[in-house]
Each structure stands twice: as structure tokens, then as C-alpha cells.
Amino acid sequence: MPLLNGDRGDRLVPHDPESYQVRRRFTLPFLLIILAFVALFFRLWILQIVKGREYDYTSRMNRIRTVNSPAPRGMILDRKGRILADNIPSYSAYLYPEDAENLPSILKKVEKTLDVDAEEAQNKMKEAKGAQFFKPVLLKDGISWEELSKLEVQKFSLPGIRVEWKPRRSYSFGPLASHLIGYVGEIDERKLKDLRKEYRMGDFIGKSGIEEKMEVYLKGLDGAVMRKVDAYGRELEVLDQTQAYPGKNVFLSIDSDLQHTAERLLQGKRGTIIAMDPRTGEILALANAPSFDPSLFASGVSPEVWQRLVSDPSHPLENKALRGVYSPGSTFKVITLAAALEEKLVTPETKLLCTGGLRVGKRLFRCWRRGGHGEVDLRKAVVQSCDVYFYRLARMVGIDKLAAYARRFGLGKPTGIGLGYEKAGLVPTSEWKLAQTAVPWVEGDTVLTGIGQGYILLTPMQLLEVYSAIANGGKLMRPLPVKKIEYTDGKPVEEFSPDVLGTVNVHKETLDFIRDALTGVVNDPGGTGAGARLPDVEVAGKTGTAQVVRSRLFDGVKESEIPEELRDHAWFVSFAPAQDAEIAVVVIVEHGGMGGRVAAPLAREMIRTYFELKEEED
């Protein structure tokens, strides 16, 4: 008989299966709810207590962000105000490290969208740690409209990726004067450590030429925009703004018309042409061939393009005018001549016999004219470039005095133009040879040096300085590539005046004689520089043919049959008008052959163009 519910004191309540099932059904959800509240509490504790300060900072960073407003780089112009380097608008993709929650995933997406190397971007992130962590990392400069559109579409799945506008360097005439103007590139980590206050990672800085030399003027003062943004970086409003100030404009001393002429004359050749005003040292043109387009670097050069440039056997990045060192050949004879006259070893009337060669010890040193020049005086020896005459002069002077006179004319040290690393060349002495080779100097070394062969080496800029000093009466002028610097509104910042480095310290009569002889080289019958002759302007100059290998290896062989890389270098140095020079020009064509045949006509065209341009201005 079942027990009554009222009899609870000493009776048992029977088991209710249905009630038990109900209680069991609610127990599990109840436990899950409790666990959820515990987890939520724990998460809130982590967010507010453990990482409260960090997330508070991040939220403020998300709310207010200061973005750089890059200043346009100053323009580079020629002496007449024609723009050579300017700026164009460009868009760049940056990564803000503090906003990138899942960096590997983001970089993988960016790699496909922007065609950038995710591993390289990761390395940039590592470099950005520390003081630079909250500054953006440049992923790609100069993105296309298509890439910009893709980034905008994926904005919500790419937290930390921002697109910013910035000015990008543009070169109006492409490769024109590229070795003089130089190029810009992304600042490297080493320089960034020294220049953290002025630059940020991803900024571009002058890497060579005027872009590097004038960086302090060309770089403007960046501004900043303080924006209120949401967690995705979308702009809500502008809170504050600091104006950016553009860089200052740099006016070069070159004339772009004359520069165009120099570049045209060097097409298809390897070498350099430099034109300078010997009165002031102003560089009127400086061209190298082959050349390169500095625009390749304006957005950051790819590893493939860089490797192609540096591995090119013709060395397009090398500034041959300042870093190419060559034997000067017969252009050096003016030094031997000056030394002999100053030491009173000869007079202009001194005659010597040339039979086609001079034997020194067991070796026969030949003249370029195999039959010889016969009996010639000093002026005729210069005009016809008689090697035997200068062999004899060099023996009279001796190597150490010859070296001393070479240094008087500025050889053996950089000219001071200040465009990156400039080579000093080599003025050999007996002591130098013994120290370098452990072999004593011999007389054969001296006669070779007297005609600009052997160990003597110099740059085209150094040789131009020698002849400019002869043209202007003995002053060694510092080469000036920059004429003035101005603010964007035209107000002057700095003007560069002629800088006399010193004098050659030889008598006026010696320089007058050398100028007269060099005038004969171009204008006298039989002169080796007749290819530079002009009908309306008296040109003075000197030819030079610098041997690459000993000429006797190709005795009787036509020049066209000699491999190009073994042919002689062709030199010509000149100035005009001969007695009151306004322009001096040096030309070297690598492996070009005879200087009078190959280089002299190029100098003639440079001088002709200069005076035609001058006449147009008048």
C-alpha cells in the first residue's frame, strides 16, 4: 500500500523518474553557464588588470594617430633655370606594426596583392622594433592604381596596412647628367641610426651625386597630420595639422643644352666629356657613357635591376669623370715641358733629333711616327707630339722632379669637386716603386712617364684642371658643380663663388709658351689636333693616345683588326679662345684609338655648341 505524502516524518517518498530526468537535463547547461561566466571574468581580469595599460595605449593609438606629411624634395635645375629633377605624386603602402594582429597572415595577403616579398617585409619589421616600433614600415613605394584599388577592397581584412601619399622623385630628361645629378634611394639601417630625428624607415635620401652632396638643402621639413581614426584606421576627423616645408632648389652650373650635346656625342661609346669655365671652375657639362636612368631608383630599385646594373661590364653606374683612372698619354707632355723649361734644361729654340726611336739600355722606345720627325725644336715637338723629344726631356728632368711638377699642377690628389668618392690617381716616384714592387726605378720608367705612359694615372677631371690652369694663367680652380641655392619663393640661400685652391707656381713665360704651342697643335700645318679646328674661334689643345697594351704586340696590324678591349684610349684636352679661354673641354673615348682622329672632333663640337649658345643669348 503506498505511503501518503503527508506522512513525512517516518515514511519515504517514492522515486519519481520524470522529475529526476528534468533535473538532470538542466544541470549541464547550468554548469556551462557558470563556466562561461568564470571564463568571461578571467578574460576581463586579463584585459583590465594584466594588459590594461597596453590596451589603453593601443586604444588611444587607434583613436588618435599622427601621420607624417612628407615634404617635397627641392628641385634641381640647370644654370638657366630649366628643371632637371622634380617631384610627382606617388602612393605607398605602409605597415603599422601595432595594428597588425596576425602578421604572417597579413603579409601573405599583401604579398599576393602588391607582389612584395613577405620574408623581406618580415625582416623590415624586425628592424623596426624598439624605438621605431610605432612608426610605419614601408612595404612598397609607388603602387599602381590597380594595387591601390585592391588594398581598398581588402581594407577590413588587412588591419595595419595603410596607403599614404608622398612625392616621388622625377627626372625630367631621364639619363641626362645622371652621374652628376645622382639618384635617391631608401635610407639604410646604418644611416637611420645616425639620423633618427630627421628620417624614418622607408624615407628616401640622396645616394650619389648632387642628390647626396646637397641632401641637407634638398630635403624639406616634414609636416604632420593628427587624425581621429577607428580601429581599422579609417579617418574620422582631422584634429591638428603641421605644415610641411619643401626643400630648397639647387641650381647647377651646367647648361642642359651643352649637356645634351655631350651626351649625344658619346652615344655608342664608352668614355667621358667634361666642360668647365677655366676662369671660375664652373662645370658646364659632365657626361659619362654608358649612363643610367636615375628614375630606376626613385621608387626603390629591385634586386634584379640592381644586380644587372652592378654586373654590367661597361659599368654604367661609375662616374668615369671622377673615378676612372687612365694613363694620360701625350696630354701629360705639358708637365714634362713645364719642368724642363722651369729647370732651364732647354729653351724654346733647343733642337733635338728624332729618328723614330730612342734606345735606353737594351730597349728601343719608339716614336709614334715610325720614320721619325727629324730635327725639331720645342714648339714643333709639341705641335707634332714627337715622343723622342719628350723621352729626352724626361731623362734630363728625372722622375722625382717630374713628379714634383705634376703635383704642382694638382695631380696625385682629388680636385675637391666634392661629389662622392673621387680618386686621387697616381704620380709615381722612385721611392714609390721600390716600396710597392721591391724593384728599383730605371731610366726606362722615366722616359715612359715623360710621355704619359707607365705608372702615371689620373682622372679626366684632374687633367681638365691641369689645362684650365694653363689657360687661366696658373690658377688651380676648385671645380664647382653648383651655382646657387634658393628657397622655393626665389629668395637666395647661398651662392657659390670661384674657389682658387692654389697656383701651379711656374713662370708666366712658361705658361705663355705652352699656350702658344697648344694653339699650334690645333691650327698649325701638321698639328695632331687639327680635328678640333674651328673657323671663327682659335682653339688650343693636345691629343693623347694611351696604350692599353704594348704597341709592338700589334706591329703591322690594322686598328680595325685589334680586339676593341685592347685598343688604345683616345684623349683630347682643349680650351678656347686660346689666349682668353672661356671654356675648357676634356674628352676620353675608351678603346677609341687615335686621340686626334676620335676625341678631337668631339671637343670641337662641344666648343662650337658653347659659342653658338652664347651668341643666341646675346
Side-chain angles (χ1 to χ4, degrees), residues 1-16:
M1 180 178 177
L3 297 172
L4 296 175
N5 287 338
D7 300 331
R8 293 178 186 267
D10 53 356
R11 298 192 180 117
L12 297 174
V13 179
H15 175 69
D16 185 350

Side-chain angles (χ1 to χ4, degrees), residues 238-470:
V238 175
L239 301 177
D240 194 13
Q241 187 167 355
T242 304
Q243 184 180 354
Y245 292 93
K248 301 167 185 66
N249 296 331
V250 174
F251 289 76
L252 304 185
S253 56
I254 68 168
D255 183 323
S256 57
D257 289 326
L258 193 61
Q259 181 72 30
H260 273 292
T261 299
E263 307 262 358
R264 175 178 57 80
L265 293 171
L266 284 174
Q267 282 184 2
K269 303 177 179 65
R270 284 189 289 175
T272 189
I273 295 177
I274 317 170
M276 184 167 79
D277 186 334
R279 302 165 299 182
T280 64
E282 291 179 0
I283 301 298
L284 304 175
L286 190 155
N288 288 283
S291 189
F292 68 95
D293 188 348
S295 298
L296 291 171
F297 300 87
S299 296
V301 65
S302 69
E304 294 77 20
V305 172
W306 175 254
Q307 187 58 39
R308 175 169 55 82
L309 288 169
V310 297
S311 60
D312 189 327
S314 62
H315 307 296
L317 295 177
E318 182 182 48
N319 189 341
K320 293 179 172 64
L322 308 180
R323 301 183 65 176
V325 288
Y326 310 88
S327 296
S330 292
T331 62
F332 185 77
K333 288 176 180 176
V334 293
I335 305 292
T336 307
L337 171 59
L341 286 172
E342 287 294 296
E343 296 296 319
K344 303 188 184 306
L345 300 172
V346 292
T347 67
E349 293 75 29
T350 300
K351 293 184 178 182
L352 297 174
L353 180 64
C354 170
T355 58
L358 177 69
R359 187 166 295 279
V360 179
K362 296 181 179 180
R363 183 177 171 186
L364 178 65
F365 291 86
R366 294 176 175 174
C367 186
W368 70 269
R369 180 179 288 179
R370 296 304 168 125
H373 291 87
E375 192 175 58
V376 292
D377 61 16
L378 188 53
R379 188 178 186 280
K380 190 174 181 180
V382 176
V383 170
Q384 298 188 2
S385 199
C386 176
D387 291 332
V388 168
Y389 199 108
F390 283 89
Y391 291 151
R392 296 180 184 276
L393 288 186
R395 292 175 76 180
M396 295 178 194
V397 174
I399 184 56
D400 292 324
K401 279 190 178 179
L402 195 56
Y405 277 92
R407 292 196 183 92
R408 287 193 192 186
F409 279 83
L411 299 181
K413 62 182 180 181
T415 63
I417 190 173
L419 293 176
Y421 173 59
E422 180 186 6
K423 289 189 176 179
L426 173 63
V427 175
T429 62
S430 55
E431 184 180 353
W432 170 87
K433 184 185 177 185
L434 188 62
Q436 294 295 317
T437 67
V439 177
W441 190 272
V442 295
E443 200 167 30
D445 296 327
T446 302
V447 299
L448 280 176
T449 304
I451 64 162
Q453 298 288 168
Y455 296 109
I456 182 78
L457 295 170
L458 46 75
T459 68
M461 184 62 75
Q462 288 176 315
L463 190 58
L464 184 60
E465 188 178 55
V466 170
Y467 278 75
S468 292
I470 293 170

Side-chain angles (χ1 to χ4, degrees), residues 112-160:
K112 294 177 182 178
T113 305
L114 296 181
D115 190 26
V116 297
D117 189 331
E119 185 177 346
E120 183 180 339
Q122 185 76 43
N123 291 334
K124 287 186 177 182
M125 284 288 296
K126 291 177 182 177
E127 293 174 5
K129 286 184 177 179
Q132 295 282 316
F133 183 72
F134 291 104
K135 292 189 177 181
V137 176
L138 177 67
L139 293 179
K140 187 172 183 180
D141 190 49
I143 63 176
S144 65
W145 282 107
E146 182 181 355
E147 291 170 328
L148 177 60
S149 301
K150 289 180 180 179
L151 286 179
E152 287 298 313
V153 170
Q154 301 179 71
K155 178 181 289 186
F156 294 103
S157 63
L158 294 174

Side-chain angles (χ1 to χ4, degrees), residues 366 370 550-558 561-562:
R366 294 176 175 174
R370 296 304 168 125
R550 292 173 69 172
S551 60
R552 65 183 183 183
L553 295 177
F554 297 106
D555 282 351
V557 180
K558 293 181 180 179
E561 297 174 356
I562 300 174

Side-chain angles (χ1 to χ4, degrees), residues 99-110:
D99 291 344
E101 295 180 358
N102 189 346
L103 186 60
S105 174
I106 291 172
L107 291 179
K108 281 296 181 185
K109 291 180 182 178
V110 171

Side-chain angles (χ1 to χ4, degrees), residues 549 553-568 591-593 597:
V549 295
L553 295 177
F554 297 106
D555 282 351
V557 180
K558 293 181 180 179
E559 184 178 278
S560 59
E561 297 174 356
I562 300 174
E564 183 179 351
E565 68 274 12
L566 300 180
R567 295 176 192 170
D568 299 335
H591 310 293
R597 178 174 57 82

Side-chain angles (χ1 to χ4, degrees), residues 450-590:
I451 64 162
Q453 298 288 168
Y455 296 109
I456 182 78
L457 295 170
L458 46 75
T459 68
M461 184 62 75
Q462 288 176 315
L463 190 58
L464 184 60
E465 188 178 55
V466 170
Y467 278 75
S468 292
I470 293 170
N472 67 29
K475 292 179 290 186
L476 291 170
M477 307 299 300
R478 184 190 303 277
L480 290 178
V482 178
K483 195 167 180 65
K484 62 181 179 179
I485 300 171
E486 290 183 351
Y487 289 104
T488 52
D489 61 2
K491 292 181 181 178
V493 176
E494 187 172 357
E495 293 195 18
F496 295 88
S497 303
D499 186 6
V500 181
L501 298 173
T503 62
V504 297
N505 195 25
V506 299
H507 290 92
K508 178 180 180 298
E509 293 77 14
T510 297
L511 293 176
D512 288 344
F513 176 80
I514 294 174
R515 273 196 304 275
D516 178 64
L518 294 177
T519 304
V521 170
V522 177
N523 299 284
D524 285 7
T528 58
R533 191 178 302 161
L534 285 170
D536 303 323
V537 180
E538 191 173 53
V539 179
K542 184 70 188 76
T543 55
T545 304
Q547 292 180 3
V548 175
V549 295
R550 292 173 69 172
S551 60
R552 65 183 183 183
L553 295 177
F554 297 106
D555 282 351
V557 180
K558 293 181 180 179
E559 184 178 278
S560 59
E561 297 174 356
I562 300 174
E564 183 179 351
E565 68 274 12
L566 300 180
R567 295 176 192 170
D568 299 335
H569 298 322
W571 281 104
F572 192 74
V573 204
S574 57
F575 49 87
Q579 300 306 319
D580 189 17
E582 300 176 26
I583 181 173
V585 178
V586 62
V587 178
I588 181 171
V589 179
E590 293 180 358

